[in-house]
Amino acid sequence: GAGVSQSPSNKVTEKGKDVELRCDPISGHTALYWYRQSLGQGLEFLIYFQGNSAPDKSGLPSDRFSAERTGGSVSTLTIQRTQQEDSAVYLCASSSGFRDRGAQVGELFFGEGSRLTVL
Amino acid sequence: QQQVKQSPQSLIVQKGGISIINCAYENTAFDYFPWYQQFPGKGPALLIAIRPDVSEKKEGRFTISFNKSAKQFSLHIMDSQPGDSATYFCAAERTGGFKTIFGAGTRLFVKA
């Protein structure tokens, strides 16, 4: 598809289990973000990948959270030993990473998110 | 210094009225200021954006006003419609591969 694809769209898990969330960015986009959004809340930044640079992990809330981006394309967000407070929608976004005068080349394209419910 | 402060947190406007959402930033290195619109169950999508070399940008009923000296920018929605009910996020970026910084969001409800 032409857009950012996230899977699964919904995930229900038991407390203490590990989960993996997948993001397929738009082809050719060098920048990739993960955000967390609790019900009715804002976008909580988690991690940012830009090309071959070291990822900005400053938003990861604990060492239970990790993410990788293989081959500069697909990204996986892993949450280990899930807790009830991890329940949220996890959004992925990608961008071409560059902006040109007059062009919205740096626009972030978001997926529809993965809704995680931890029981 | 990396923060973008957005207000109000929520806003209720009558149909046909003007919705105004404000944002302020500290880092003068920011050089691109987009606004994103998010409907329930969807990811945010770019609505309109401005560069600091202009003071205003208008696209249809949506206008960004930018005050470089005050380090503030705002979104105005003219003739607000119920279909505009959504969450709006302001953001700030700087050239060079730095991550986009988002405001906390404003939930807009337009009463019919």
Side-chain angles (χ1 to χ4, degrees), chain A residues 33 35 37 39-43 45 47-48 50 56 58 89 91 95 97 99-113 115, chain B residues 9 31-32 36 38 41-49 51 53 57 59 87 89 93-105 107:
Chain A
Y33 298 76
Y35 293 92
Q37 189 172 37
L39 187 63
Q41 300 300 308
L43 301 169
F45 167 76
I47 189 167
Y48 168 54
Q50 170 57 280
D56 180 344
S58 61
V89 175
L91 290 163
S95 166
R99 283 182 282 110
D100 203 1
R101 179 164 289 278
Q104 294 168 343
V105 181
E107 175 181 353
L108 266 63
F109 293 84
F110 284 82
E112 296 206 337
R115 180 176 298 278
Chain B
Q9 188 174 20
D31 58 2
Y32 185 67
Y36 285 80
Q38 183 182 30
K42 301 292 185 182
L46 181 68
L47 180 64
I48 187 173
R51 295 184 177 276
D53 53 353
K57 183 173 182 180
E59 290 185 2
T87 299
F89 294 95
E93 298 181 14
R94 54 181 290 203
T95 304
F98 298 92
K99 67 177 183 280
T100 300
I101 306 297
F102 281 91
R107 298 180 73 180

Side-chain angles (χ1 to χ4, degrees), chain A residues 1-19:
Chain A
V4 176
S5 178
Q6 291 190 245
S7 60
S9 55
N10 278 286
K11 175 73 176 179
V12 180
T13 190
E14 294 180 348
K15 177 181 174 181
K17 300 286 188 182
D18 297 352
V19 297

Side-chain angles (χ1 to χ4, degrees), chain B residues 10 13 22 51 57 73 83-84 99 109:
Chain B
S10 62
V13 174
N22 300 299
R51 295 184 177 276
K57 183 173 182 180
F73 57 110
D84 297 331
K99 67 177 183 280
F109 179 69

Side-chain angles (χ1 to χ4, degrees), chain B residues 42-88:
Chain B
K42 301 292 185 182
L46 181 68
L47 180 64
I48 187 173
I50 197 169
R51 295 184 177 276
D53 53 353
V54 298
S55 60
E56 185 176 283
K57 183 173 182 180
K58 184 176 181 180
E59 290 185 2
R61 295 183 295 108
F62 299 90
T63 299
I64 300 178
S65 296
F66 188 84
N67 186 330
K68 189 173 182 178
S69 61
K71 292 186 284 188
Q72 295 175 347
F73 57 110
S74 60
L75 176 69
H76 296 236
I77 306 175
M78 312 300 287
D79 186 27
S80 298
Q81 299 296 312
D84 297 331
S85 298
T87 299
Y88 293 82

Side-chain angles (χ1 to χ4, degrees), chain A residues 51-99:
Chain A
N52 295 320
S53 302
D56 180 344
K57 304 180 181 180
S58 61
L60 294 177
S62 76
D63 58 8
R64 296 187 296 105
F65 288 74
S66 63
E68 62 178 22
R69 189 177 185 193
T70 54
S73 181
V74 172
S75 178
T76 302
L77 177 68
T78 301
I79 309 173
Q80 295 178 311
R81 306 181 301 282
T82 52
Q83 304 295 312
Q84 288 183 331
E85 60 262 29
D86 299 334
S87 296
V89 175
Y90 290 81
L91 290 163
C92 174
S94 73
S95 166
S96 65
F98 298 96
R99 283 182 282 110

